[in-house]
Amino acid sequence: MTAETGWTADGQSGHAAAAIGWMWNHYDGGDPYTDFNAEEADEGMWWGAVENPSEPDVLERMSCTEIPFWAETGVVPDVENALSPSVLAELAYERIRVPETEVSFSPADLDGQVVNLPTWIWAESGEYDPVAVTASLESWGISATTTATPTALTVEPGTADAETRPASGSCPINGDGSIGAPYGGDEDAVPPCGLTYLRATHGGGNYPLTASITWSITWEGTGDTGGTLPDATFATTHEVQVNEIQSVVRP
């Protein structure tokens, strides 16, 4: 349910359109409101059903059968899915756009990785900062801000013949929004975030290396409300070719 100031059903279908249509038959001159409650026009607002086009479940999108009703200014209606800080938080969540999951590699050529040579993985400072969106109903004085905060980069080598660093494959996000560290030239150094392939690819095949960022979702709203929403994970897959270096040992 969302606040509606007009009586058209433009862009709506199903129950939402039918409910607004029934407005004319229900409140034009009788119980419980006379002349659409015009005498109280400055004291409140009519609320009517509006379908959320972002809801993938068609039945859920069309589930509201309430005909438009009157609510006094500042009072959140006790109706399922009526706009409230928690509902606004979910609407803000739908509109959060986080950066694509992009990281750097060393060796940089993913067609030229080498067996037993560590691959360093990192992202520069500031690439993964929190992202926030606020949704509000100003006339009602309610709002909610939903924030996505990156928590970890998960590396999946695409084969069991590999070792990840850390062993869990989960690299934490540093305080400055960076991940891991770039290779500094020390051949004996161990990458804080990376992996080592133990077996080469053969026959033109590749390993599908997947790097995914997990974002923790929290929200804060008016009236000291707040909470969490489901985490979001965004992944990018890279095709990796791993080679063997042949050497000849002479006695």
Side-chain angles (χ1 to χ4, degrees), residues 9-197:
D10 293 345
Q12 300 302 305
S13 60
H15 296 310
I20 293 177
W22 272 101
M23 182 77 183
W24 292 107
N25 300 326
H26 199 71
Y27 295 136
D28 61 347
D31 185 39
Y33 302 109
T34 300
D35 193 21
F36 302 103
N37 213 25
E39 292 183 357
E40 305 294 329
D42 296 329
E43 305 299 328
M45 184 182 296
W46 288 99
W47 289 53
V50 175
E51 292 184 5
N52 179 3
S54 299
E55 171 56 57
D57 187 331
V58 174
L59 295 180
E60 178 68 20
R61 192 165 66 238
M62 301 175 62
S63 64
C64 184
T65 59
E66 293 277 349
I67 64 173
F69 57 89
W70 180 265
E72 295 181 359
T73 300
V75 176
V76 177
D78 185 18
V79 174
E80 184 179 6
N81 292 329
L83 281 186
S84 64
S86 62
V87 173
L88 289 173
E90 293 179 1
L91 293 174
Y93 184 11
E94 294 176 0
R95 289 158 176 78
I96 285 179
R97 299 293 180 267
V98 299
E100 293 186 7
T101 302
E102 295 183 357
V103 293
S104 299
F105 299 90
S106 181
D109 182 6
L110 294 182
D111 288 334
Q113 302 298 299
V114 178
V115 170
N116 293 324
L117 177 68
T119 299
W120 291 61
I121 301 175
W122 74 93
E124 299 294 341
S125 172
E127 289 194 17
Y128 294 103
D129 290 330
V131 178
V133 171
T134 297
S136 64
L137 182 59
E138 294 182 0
S139 59
W140 233 247
I142 58 175
S143 65
T145 298
T146 300
T147 303
T149 303
T151 57
L153 167 73
T154 299
V155 177
E156 299 178 54
T159 174
D161 294 316
E163 295 177 347
T164 56
R165 294 182 177 82
S168 64
S170 180
C171 305
I173 309 294
N174 300 322
D176 61 357
S178 65
I179 301 171
Y183 176 59
D186 184 353
E187 296 181 358
D188 296 324
V190 176
C193 180
L195 72 159
T196 300
Y197 284 104

